[in-house]
Amino acid sequence: DQQVKQNSPSLSVQEGRISILNCDYTNSMFDYFLWYKKYPAEGPTFLISISSIKDKNEDGRFTVFLNKSAKHLSLHIVPSQPGDSAVYFCAATPAWGGAQKLVFGQGTRLTINP
Amino acid sequence: DSGVTQTPKHLITATGQRVTLRCSPRSGDLSVYWYQQSLDQGLQFLIQYYNGEERAKGNILERFSAQQFPDLHSELNLSSLELGDSALYFCASSVGGGPGANVLTFGAGSRLTVL
């Protein structure tokens, strides 16, 4: 049972354009969501998070949107840069859960073309 | 460099064998987590230790075990290896170990290949 799904295994975007990565979840107990970015031969690194009391969180070029009713979140990267090429994982947990309750999606490989 | 060190980076072994993966957490972090990433899968939580004590267990097989030592480094032992155990094994650390400790710092991973 895949509680967190990233339905697009890969995404290709032109440099300077917007990249939109999507994530769906099924467990209504999830109320804290994170995005991690992973480069080859490195571990995932934390990118941005959002609590269910918000519907948007921004950090520079990165914005995460949360639609609780649709159980959907998305990560927007504007403008996309070549260094953004990586695998992006979304993850979710109940607020009381801690990291041991984090459930990760399968990841989306983002390629930014010059 | 994330501050979380994992060794070895790569390991190739045969079915039925036993291996040990090692992790040193980021300085100051008391909690260590182990994750498994099989091909095209998300990271699957295996086990968490906090300050030497087992704190939480995920989908860890009985053939697998882990421990955290007084110096806070951790080892993941995988025995009676099967082809399906081939995966990337990540270690992560955090300062705390309870609710709210959601942001993890990951190591670069140990890639295990079982032939």
Side-chain angles (χ1 to χ4, degrees), chain B residues 32-106:
Chain B
V32 168
Y33 307 77
W34 286 97
Y35 285 85
Q36 178 193 57
Q37 186 189 14
S38 302
L39 194 63
D40 294 332
Q41 298 292 312
L43 285 79
Q44 302 291 323
F45 170 67
L46 295 178
I47 196 164
Q48 177 204 1
Y49 279 83
Y50 177 77
N51 205 19
E53 307 256 332
E54 183 184 302
R55 177 62 67 94
K57 254 183 175 176
N59 299 321
I60 188 166
L61 299 171
E62 282 193 17
R63 301 183 284 110
F64 296 1
S65 65
Q67 53 184 326
Q68 187 180 27
F69 295 87
D71 66 352
L72 300 177
H73 92 270
S74 177
E75 292 180 357
L76 179 67
N77 301 298
L78 315 175
S79 62
S80 303
L81 285 167
E82 301 174 359
L83 295 178
D85 297 327
S86 296
L88 255 177
Y89 290 84
F90 287 104
C91 170
S93 69
S94 66
V95 173
N102 295 310
V103 180
L104 302 175
T105 302
F106 282 86

Side-chain angles (χ1 to χ4, degrees), chain A residues 1-5 23-34 50-53 66-69 71-73 90-98 100-105:
Chain A
D1 175 28
Q2 197 90 40
Q3 296 186 68
V4 177
K5 288 183 187 177
C23 179
D24 296 297
Y25 63 96
T26 56
N27 190 338
S28 57
M29 298 297 289
F30 289 151
D31 53 14
Y32 190 75
F33 306 87
L34 304 90
I50 188 167
S51 162
S52 61
I53 61 173
L66 176 62
N67 182 333
K68 281 192 71 179
S69 60
K71 293 192 177 68
H72 177 83
L73 67 155
C90 68
T93 182
W96 47 264
Q100 65 269 41
K101 295 294 183 185
L102 270 174
V103 178
F104 285 84

